Amino acid sequence: MNNNFKKLANERYSCRHYSQEPVDKQLILNILECARLAPSACNRQPWKFIVITDANELAAVWECYDRSWIKEAPAAIIVLGNRNEAWHRQYDNYDATDIDIAITTEHICLAATDMGLGTCWVCNFEPTKLRKSLNIPQEWEPLVIIPIGKPAERLTSPDKKRKEIEELVQWGKF
């Protein structure tokens, strides 16, 4: 069995300390190519990515989230979802946007980890303020801010605190 993916999943962590070293544009494009390849319900791909590297634009993004650590990141990727483009289940109109965005966001985080960069999912932000500061059209919903950069301190991920597999797996009927 090849353990490369397990190793990568273990190395990914929520980075909250970044060096000020700029992130190479080609690295970001490579990461976003991995995100582009993420699966989505019925292949609708209801996402767009806004890359922010300009200091003034970053300052506006950071204003939407009230934690100081985020201001260390030299770049951010904003993941947008479009509920009108997403697949909806015919039986109950379930909207798959959030799942699709979660999958592509994790592709970003894993690809960045694989390239030696740190990321952190941020969903606790002021979406109205972010929409206004980045001129995001109404049909696109800002769902995730991903600060991205070279980790300042940690070369390895911290120990993961996860439930034991026996607590999570049910074989057969519930």
Side-chain angles (χ1 to χ4, degrees):
M1 180 171 111
N2 185 333
N3 283 321
N4 289 344
F5 184 77
K6 184 177 179 184
K7 181 178 182 292
L8 178 63
N10 194 50
E11 288 175 359
R12 192 224 50 85
Y13 69 98
S14 296
C15 181
R16 290 186 177 89
H17 297 288
Y18 299 89
S19 80
Q20 292 303 298
E21 183 181 328
V23 181
D24 182 73
K25 181 179 180 179
Q26 192 57 53
L27 273 180
I28 292 174
L29 288 172
N30 289 340
I31 289 165
L32 292 174
E33 176 62 16
C34 293
R36 186 184 72 82
L37 295 173
S40 63
C42 292
N43 198 30
R44 296 286 180 90
Q45 305 168 56
W47 51 60
K48 281 201 183 294
F49 312 103
I50 300 175
V51 179
I52 307 293
T53 56
D54 175 79
N56 292 327
E57 290 179 357
L58 279 171
V61 171
W62 303 153
E63 285 297 314
C64 301
Y65 180 68
D66 67 355
R67 304 292 193 282
S68 61
W69 65 264
I70 200 168
K71 295 174 183 172
E72 296 177 14
I77 298 172
I78 314 304
V79 185
L80 309 176
N82 187 321
R83 296 189 187 280
N84 295 322
E85 290 188 9
W87 176 78
H88 293 81
R89 186 168 46 210
Q90 67 178 340
Y91 304 104
D92 60 0
N93 204 33
Y94 170 77
D95 177 351
T97 303
D98 293 332
I99 289 175
D100 292 344
I101 296 305
I103 295 168
T104 198
T105 297
E106 191 59 8
H107 271 54
I108 290 169
C109 294
L110 289 169
T113 298
D114 192 47
M115 296 176 197
L117 298 174
T119 60
C120 185
W121 283 65
V122 175
C123 295
N124 184 22
F125 60 89
E126 295 181 49
T128 303
K129 195 179 221 180
L130 185 63
R131 178 185 299 284
K132 185 175 180 183
S133 68
L134 297 179
N135 299 319
I136 299 171
Q138 198 59 42
E139 67 271 15
W140 290 99
E141 183 179 353
L143 294 171
V144 184
I145 298 173
I146 307 170
I148 187 168
K150 192 163 182 72
E153 301 170 353
R154 203 181 303 275
L155 296 178
T156 60
S157 65
D159 289 337
K160 301 232 185 259
K161 295 175 186 160
R162 301 293 191 262
K163 293 179 180 180
E164 294 299 321
I165 194 76
E166 296 79 15
E167 295 178 71
L168 302 171
V169 177
Q170 174 70 39
W171 293 91
K173 291 182 181 179
F174 200 73

